[in-house]
Amino acid sequence: QVQLVESGGGSVQSGGSLRLSCSVFGYTLSSDCMAWFRQAPGKGREGVVFIKSDGAITYADSVKGRFTISQDDARNTLYLQMNSLKPEDTAMYYCAADPNWNRCMQPRYWGQGTQVTVSS
């Protein structure tokens, strides 16, 4: 059974930093698609960053230069380092995965989400 468990969310002031973690069970991080999504109240889901099994990384324009994805294969954990946070980054953040890169925008496996709130 695949489980993705996010942690690390919280409340910070604008300009602050947070590091989100996604612990993965029953699945390997080397599978083709790992991703972070977010959804703000009243808005649609947004892909924040995608990492492919070959190491290729794609960031949303809104987070380029501020967010960094990384993974620890030994711990089977995915991370999202978020710096220079802005109020518009406020959202529920989800870790997601799919064994097929072509389905990465609508991945099969999802975590329960962790809330990030940035105050001005």
Side-chain angles (χ1 to χ4, degrees), residues 15 23-24 42 51 76-77 79 83 86 90 99 104 110:
S23 297
V24 181
I51 183 167
N76 221 36
T77 300
Y79 301 100
N83 298 328
K86 305 174 181 180
T90 295
C104 207
W110 292 85

Side-chain angles (χ1 to χ4, degrees), residues 44-118:
R45 187 175 63 197
E46 175 189 18
V48 176
V49 57
F50 303 88
I51 183 167
K52 201 175 179 182
S53 56
D54 63 4
I57 298 173
T58 304
Y59 290 96
D61 287 344
S62 57
V63 306
K64 275 181 186 175
R66 299 188 298 121
F67 290 12
T68 303
I69 192 172
S70 63
Q71 61 187 62
D72 183 333
D73 291 341
R75 289 186 167 87
N76 221 36
T77 300
L78 190 71
Y79 301 100
L80 183 65
Q81 178 66 43
M82 306 186 296
N83 298 328
S84 302
L85 282 161
K86 305 174 181 180
E88 51 264 44
D89 294 318
T90 295
M92 185 72 79
Y93 283 72
Y94 298 91
C95 175
D98 197 287
N100 187 332
W101 175 253
N102 291 325
R103 292 198 299 260
C104 207
M105 286 302 295
Q106 293 184 320
R108 179 181 302 178
Y109 303 113
W110 292 85
Q112 83 289 348
T114 186
Q115 178 68 36
V116 172
T117 303
V118 185

Side-chain angles (χ1 to χ4, degrees), residues 29-41:
L29 291 186
S30 63
S31 294
D32 217 10
C33 162
M34 296 295 302
W36 287 96
F37 287 79
R38 67 185 180 186
Q39 187 164 19

